[in-house]
Amino acid sequence: MEPLRLKANYRCVPSLQQFYTGGPYAVSSDGSFIASACADSIKIVDSANSSIKFTLDGDSESVTALVLSPDDKLLFSSSHSRQIRVWDLSTLKCVRSWKGHDGPIMSMACHPSGGLLATGGADRKVLVWDVDGGFCTHFFKGHGGIVSCVMFHPNPEKQLLFSGSDDGGDNATVRVWDLSKTKKKNCIATLDNHRSAVTSIAVSEDGWTLLSAGRDKVVTLWDLHDYSNKKTVITNEAVEAVCVIGAGSPFASSLDSYRQNAKKLVGSRPFYFLTVGERGVVRIWSSEGSVCIFEQKTSDVTANIDEDGSRRGFTSAVMCVSEHGLICVTADQQFLFYSLDFIEELKLNLTKRLVGYNEEVVDMKFVGDDEKFLALATNLEQIRVYDLASMSCSYVLAGHTEIVLCLDTCVSSSGKSLIVTGSKDNSVRLWESESRSCIGVGIGHMGAVGAVAFSKRKRDFFVSGSSDHTLKVWSMDGLSDNMTVPINLKAKAVVAAHDKDINSVAVAPNDSLVCSGSQDRTACVWRLPDLVSVVVFKGHKRGIWSVEFSPVDQCVITASGDKTIRIWAISDGSCLKTFEGHTSSVLRALFVTRGTQIVSSGADGLVKLWTVKTNECVATYDNHEDKVWAMAVGRKTEMLATGGSDALVNLWFDSTAADKEEAFQKEEMGVLKGQELENAVSDADYSKAIQIAFELRKPHRLYALLSELCRKQGAEDHIDKALKALGDEELRTLFSYVREWNTKPKFCYVSQLVLFRVFNIFPPTEIIQMKGVGELLEGLIPYSQRHFGRIDRLVRSTFLLDYILSGMSVIDPESQQPEPKAELLLRSEIENPDKEKGAEEKDHSQENAPSKKRKSNKSRHGSHKKVKDVAYNKVASIPLQA
């Protein structure tokens, strides 16, 4: 047996996210991605694994229309705010936007050239816009109701625009607009044959037949030569979408094989089209005779019933030229991918199912020995089973008439993967995953079944707990390999176990005991198979949501609404350990790592990893935004899956070993880089040393390097060379370092020097555009003002010192040098010839005066000049008087 290694960390992979809440969507020309409306935002989803590639934030209003440009580079969107936005998918930015309609825009279409955009709104108008300029080129009025669909003619040379509407009453029209005419009246034809809303329009591959479909259960074929009604096809269902199957479609080859097999080669080659609608089936029609050549025998979607009583199966469909074939969208936010094969007869295959919205996930379990599938119970009557590789819904188990509340899985002794479910319809159902069919139904509970659990060893029975306060043991005897009709399951034992609803049940590893947790704040252990009471666990202050047996010890773990997890001894019912840390109700608690650790989830949206021996919470994860109701642990891989009220399913992988290896490599790399840094400093290669300090994220070492540089000659060159090599992210990091240095007077000189060099090298406009730099610069301003104010006060205080020293005849004023005596006499003679004698006498008297007195007079005359000059002139040397 492998040595026991405690888990230290899990790595989360968001696998199933909400990306479509209904409404508009757009599929790329190659089918590689889907742009879908998700409330007020737009999700760009990878159609291979339903992962969200990008999110485009809207304007807090629900999105009403979406369309892609022919080259898939631009996305056009509109919401209830009536703002039309153009998104560049390469930069994920809105490049332009404008308004034009008086009401919400309900439909959009892009011209095959990509230069024009047509919009139809609830204001009964059809507008055509120039994509590059954002101005309106055509304004069409004439519809009597909401414009539900618009479409350009697929041939760019034919400047025609088609629009369909619901004009109210028993009237709906399709209008044909000529974009080439400059007259005011550009409607060249009004096609009136529908009695309910026109939902979809399409044009044949040759460009001369227009197809329109509506909720009046007909598809009309129009001749575009004279705009006459060629044929009206009665579909007997409200049609939501009509699509022409072109020669480049994957369906075309199968249809050609069908045509050759049917030996219908006489006459012109017909075109084929398909329809989808309220029945949830795909039907293929031939234009030759307008007959249905294929119809799905069974629907892959559960038809929803609207408030008005009408059924809604499919809401839309689109044909792809790639291998994806047909993509149909259901009323419950699913994308179904179909392919068409012909082997003796036409067969439509469901290749992929992407679920855009799961609502609230209430329970989940891994399916099969290899644990490659995950079964989910949501607020629906069906169980959805997902392939973990592609996160597409592999199949749906339908049979319950009310919401499924709980499920459990096991592998039978014969190797079959079984699933048991409990529902609000008071029944339990047993499913076989390979045949995807129900093989057993258990009826007997008088309330909703809220908990089920398979036996762990024999796997020949399962236990269920209900809101009727009873616990039942169901036998799986009588199951056979070739079952076509589900059998009635029989209860071997039943007991009134609790005073309130039973929330959770668990079977011991040896099948000898079963534990039940209830809303009455107690957990009870019962001996199988006759359900005799063994022990009752009392101590929780709120209802118990989860119970689980330890795989190695004689103990049970319980999770409660009192925010605690407890471990109980089966022998005497005593509480062995209590784990506290959740801030709200603990909804699930499971053993991992052979019973030495616990994983828990709660209503606070947290997932916690605990070590049993030390009562320590090893890790806490907040990857959910709401209650985490469901959690499953793989039996072999111990892979973890969580789901909750946020409709998000996360997969968790043990990353303890990977984290240790990564930390070791990081430490080794740090040592090598540190040595490289020291070598660069010893070689006086400061530019390289600064770059390495950035890579190592060592701000203190970086400051030491810059401080040492400031004391050397040519420091600016080294700093400039290092700064020019920095990218935007590194420059932002440098600003964060400088902001911290600038808060301390001791480090401000280096920070101000670095700022000065940065703003000398990089244009301010470029610096401002960096993400997050504005906040960093705002943090620099007040401290910089404080530093400059302090320096200014220091300079002003030196004026007084200079004045005192000058008054004490200690320093010579630099700005006033004594002139030679000969020059002084010459100037006096020139300026005052009449006072020559007086000057000579004065000069003679000054010669007899002491030299110290003469120096003092000079200092007194020049003192004011000196004080004025000191504030602006740098004094190189101060000659002292002996």
Side-chain angles (χ1 to χ4, degrees):
M1 184 178 290
E2 295 182 5
L4 190 63
R5 295 180 180 177
L6 295 179
K7 295 176 177 59
N9 190 26
Y10 275 99
R11 187 165 295 171
C12 177
V13 180
S15 297
L16 198 60
Q17 304 177 67
Q18 173 184 335
F19 65 85
Y20 181 59
T21 54
Y25 70 96
V27 182
S28 63
S29 56
D30 58 356
S32 61
F33 68 89
I34 301 170
S36 58
C38 186
D40 59 348
S41 62
I42 303 169
K43 306 287 187 181
I44 309 298
V45 183
D46 189 344
S47 59
N49 55 11
S50 74
S51 62
I52 297 176
K53 299 167 66 176
F54 314 112
T55 299
L56 305 177
D57 295 325
D59 51 5
S60 73
E61 295 283 349
S62 298
V63 180
T64 57
L66 285 175
V67 70
L68 283 163
S69 61
D71 58 1
D72 297 332
K73 293 182 179 179
L74 298 178
L75 175 66
F76 306 93
S77 69
S78 182
S79 66
H80 279 290
S81 66
R82 297 170 291 151
Q83 192 86 10
I84 301 173
R85 285 181 166 83
V86 184
W87 302 88
D88 186 348
L89 295 184
S90 60
T91 60
L92 303 179
K93 292 183 179 180
C94 178
V95 293
R96 64 187 67 89
S97 63
W98 65 85
K99 282 187 179 180
H101 283 270
D102 297 328
I105 297 171
M106 308 308 296
S107 56
M108 277 185 175
C110 190
H111 194 267
S113 64
L116 296 176
L117 176 70
T119 57
D123 56 359
R124 309 177 184 182
K125 300 173 185 176
V126 178
L127 303 180
V128 181
W129 307 87
D130 183 275
V131 172
D132 295 329
F135 57 86
C136 181
T137 60
H138 298 78
F139 181 92
F140 300 135
K141 295 178 66 176
H143 283 292
I146 297 174
V147 181
S148 55
C149 52
V150 291
M151 179 185 178
F152 285 100
H153 196 287
N155 186 353
E157 297 180 357
K158 296 182 179 181
Q159 299 186 20
L160 297 178
L161 175 67
F162 310 100
S163 60
S165 69
D166 181 7
D167 295 340
D170 293 333
N171 189 30
T173 59
V174 177
R175 290 180 177 263
V176 185
W177 312 91
D178 190 350
L179 302 178
S180 62
K181 288 188 175 182
T182 57
K183 297 179 182 179
K184 186 175 181 181
K185 186 177 180 180
N186 292 6
C187 180
I188 59 177
T190 301
L191 312 179
D192 186 4
N193 188 48
H194 291 281
R195 295 295 173 262
S196 186
V198 179
T199 56
S200 180
I201 50 181
V203 178
S204 63
E205 200 169 15
D206 61 3
W208 292 109
T209 303
L210 176 69
L211 294 86
S212 61
R215 295 198 177 105
D216 54 359
K217 303 182 180 181
V218 298
V219 176
T220 306
L221 279 66
W222 307 90
D223 190 345
L224 292 184
H225 291 93
D226 54 3
Y227 303 104
S228 61
N229 185 348
K230 293 171 62 175
K231 184 73 176 178
T232 299
V233 182
I234 300 174
T235 61
N236 295 318
E237 71 167 337
V239 180
E240 296 293 337
V242 58
C243 300
V244 173
I245 302 174
S249 169
F251 281 29
S253 58
S254 299
L255 291 173
D256 289 339
S257 301
Y258 162 79
R259 186 166 179 261
Q260 293 175 5
N261 186 68
K263 298 180 180 178
K264 295 182 179 181
L265 304 176
V266 181
S268 60
R269 184 182 184 277
F271 68 88
Y272 300 96
F273 62 93
L274 59 85
T275 59
V276 298
E278 62 180 2
R279 291 170 54 193
V281 297
V282 179
R283 292 193 285 179
I284 301 177
W285 307 76
S286 172
S287 64
E288 188 178 27
S290 299
V291 294
C292 180
I293 62 174
F294 172 78
E295 180 176 352
Q296 255 184 313
K297 296 179 181 179
T298 58
S299 175
D300 292 313
V301 60
T302 303
N304 294 338
I305 307 298
D306 284 348
E307 295 179 357
D308 58 358
S310 60
R311 300 173 64 205
R312 293 195 69 194
F314 288 125
T315 59
S316 182
V318 63
M319 289 294 302
C320 293
V321 296
S322 64
E323 69 277 1
H324 293 287
L326 174 66
I327 301 177
C328 297
V329 181
T330 68
D332 56 351
Q333 298 90 36
Q334 298 184 51
F335 289 82
L336 306 185
F337 292 70
Y338 287 101
S339 64
L340 186 67
D341 295 329
F342 178 77
I343 303 174
E344 295 182 357
E345 63 178 1
L346 291 173
K347 183 180 180 182
L348 195 65
N349 302 315
L350 178 62
T351 58
K352 190 184 302 181
R353 184 196 303 258
L354 302 183
V355 180
Y357 186 57
N358 269 306
E359 297 189 7
E360 192 171 17
V361 181
V362 295
D363 204 359
M364 59 171 60
K365 287 292 186 298
F366 290 101
V367 180
D369 265 337
D370 50 4
E371 298 173 357
K372 293 182 178 179
F373 295 90
L374 183 67
L376 294 185
T378 61
N379 280 347
L380 295 173
E381 300 83 4
Q382 307 93 29
I383 297 294
R384 292 172 175 171
V385 181
Y386 287 84
D387 184 355
L388 295 180
S390 62
M391 284 317 294
S392 64
C393 184
S394 295
Y395 53 92
V396 175
L397 303 176
H400 284 288
T401 57
E402 293 289 342
I403 293 173
V404 178
L405 297 176
C406 55
L407 63 89
D408 196 14
T409 61
C410 79
V411 179
S412 66
S413 56
S414 60
K416 292 183 178 180
S417 296
L418 301 179
I419 301 173
V420 63
T421 57
S423 168
K424 276 188 175 181
D425 60 7
N426 305 346
S427 69
V428 292
R429 284 180 176 264
L430 188 62
W431 311 82
E432 204 273 307
S433 63
E434 292 182 6
S435 62
R436 304 175 185 179
S437 60
C438 179
I439 58 177
V441 180
I443 299 175
H445 281 291
M446 303 303 294
V449 181
V452 290
F454 273 113
S455 65
K456 297 294 189 294
R457 177 177 291 180
K458 297 180 181 179
R459 299 170 185 174
D460 57 352
F461 69 90
F462 63 90
V463 183
S464 65
S466 170
S467 60
D468 61 4
H469 313 165
T470 62
L471 195 67
K472 289 180 181 286
V473 180
W474 303 86
S475 173
M476 294 194 296
D477 297 337
L479 298 178
S480 60
D481 294 337
N482 300 319
M483 295 183 60
T484 56
V485 179
I487 64 171
N488 291 323
L489 300 174
K490 295 181 180 180
K492 296 194 299 183
V494 59
V495 66
H498 292 274
D499 298 331
K500 291 186 178 180
D501 297 359
I502 298 175
N503 294 327
S504 177
V505 294
V507 178
N510 59 359
D511 288 350
S512 63
L513 301 173
V514 60
C515 183
S516 59
S518 170
Q519 210 54 34
D520 64 2
R521 298 177 290 180
T522 64
C524 300
V525 177
W526 311 84
R527 182 174 289 110
L528 291 171
D530 48 0
L531 294 179
V532 176
S533 179
V534 176
V535 67
V536 178
F537 304 133
K538 295 182 179 180
H540 281 294
K541 298 178 182 179
R542 293 287 186 273
I544 295 175
W545 287 105
S546 174
V547 294
E548 182 77 10
F549 281 95
S550 170
V552 292
D553 296 321
Q554 295 290 319
C555 60
V556 173
I557 185 173
T558 58
S560 170
D562 61 5
K563 310 176 188 178
T564 63
I565 304 166
R566 293 175 184 252
I567 296 180
W568 309 82
I570 298 176
S571 58
D572 56 1
S574 62
C575 179
L576 302 177
K577 284 182 177 291
T578 301
F579 301 87
E580 296 180 354
H582 282 279
T583 59
S584 189
S585 301
V586 186
L587 303 176
R588 284 287 186 274
L590 301 173
F591 281 106
V592 293
T593 324
R594 300 181 200 163
T596 59
Q597 289 184 295
I598 300 169
V599 177
S600 64
S601 64
D604 51 9
L606 301 178
V607 177
K608 288 179 175 286
L609 176 64
W610 310 80
T611 299
V612 174
K613 185 177 181 180
T614 61
N615 277 44
E616 178 188 3
C617 179
V618 179
T620 301
Y621 310 98
D622 59 348
N623 295 67
H624 285 275
E625 298 176 357
D626 209 338
K627 300 181 183 68
V628 184
W629 286 105
M631 184 164 58
V633 176
R635 296 181 180 90
K636 294 183 178 179
T637 61
E638 289 206 341
M639 179 173 58
L640 185 66
T642 57
S645 300
D646 54 1
L648 177 65
V649 175
N650 286 328
L651 293 180
W652 307 76
F653 300 93
D654 180 17
S655 62
T656 305
D659 289 346
K660 284 185 178 179
E661 181 66 23
E662 184 178 347
F664 176 76
Q665 292 180 357
K666 188 175 181 181
E667 183 180 358
E668 185 179 11
M669 184 63 67
V671 171
L672 294 176
K673 284 288 185 181
Q675 185 61 47
E676 190 177 351
L677 174 61
E678 297 302 327
N679 293 340
V681 173
S682 62
D683 295 340
D685 190 354
Y686 291 101
S687 302
K688 184 178 180 181
I690 291 173
Q691 292 178 5
I692 296 174
F694 261 112
E695 293 177 8
L696 295 176
R697 292 292 187 267
K698 292 186 175 181
H700 183 72
R701 192 72 180 92
L702 181 63
Y703 170 79
L705 286 171
L706 294 172
S707 179
E708 187 176 350
L709 267 177
C710 292
R711 294 190 291 268
K712 294 182 177 292
Q713 291 184 353
E716 290 82 357
D717 296 335
H718 289 287
I719 295 176
D720 291 355
K721 185 178 178 181
L723 292 177
K724 288 177 182 178
L726 300 180
D728 289 351
E729 186 63 28
E730 292 175 329
L731 200 59
R732 195 187 70 81
T733 305
L734 177 63
F735 274 113
S736 67
Y737 293 162
V738 169
R739 182 183 63 176
E740 296 301 322
W741 300 338
N742 199 47
T743 59
K744 299 179 181 179
K746 183 179 179 181
F747 303 148
C748 68
Y749 176 71
V750 174
S751 65
Q752 293 297 325
L753 177 62
V754 172
L755 278 177
F756 179 71
R757 301 315 306 169
V758 167
F759 281 98
N760 271 350
I761 296 172
F762 301 98
T765 54
E766 182 180 333
I767 294 174
I768 290 297
Q769 291 176 356
M770 297 178 188
K771 187 177 180 180
V773 168
E775 182 181 352
L776 297 175
L777 293 179
E778 288 179 2
L780 283 165
I781 293 173
Y783 282 99
S784 296
Q785 291 175 343
R786 183 181 300 178
H787 296 323
F788 279 108
R790 188 180 69 255
I791 293 173
D792 188 53
R793 289 193 301 272
L794 288 174
V795 171
R796 287 201 306 270
S797 65
T798 60
F799 297 168
L800 178 61
L801 179 62
D802 289 338
Y803 177 75
I804 293 172
L805 293 176
S806 299
M808 295 173 62
S809 303
V810 175
I811 60 175
D812 278 328
E814 183 184 38
S815 58
Q816 185 174 354
Q817 297 292 338
E819 295 182 351
K821 184 176 180 181
E823 292 183 7
L824 183 61
L825 292 173
L826 181 62
R827 181 179 298 179
S828 299
E829 292 177 359
I830 295 173
E831 293 180 355
N832 301 302
D834 297 334
K835 298 182 180 181
E836 181 180 352
K837 185 178 179 181
E840 288 179 356
E841 292 177 357
K842 185 178 181 180
D843 214 2
H844 180 71
S845 63
Q846 286 179 355
E847 285 180 359
N848 295 330
S851 60
K852 185 175 181 180
K853 181 69 176 177
R854 186 167 59 247
K855 180 63 69 174
S856 176
N857 288 338
K858 291 181 181 180
S859 300
R860 190 180 301 115
H861 289 303
S863 62
H864 180 71
K865 186 78 172 181
K866 171 63 180 174
V867 171
K868 187 176 180 181
D869 292 337
V870 167
Y872 306 98
N873 296 328
K874 183 176 179 182
V875 180
S877 62
I878 302 176
L880 299 178
Q881 180 71 29

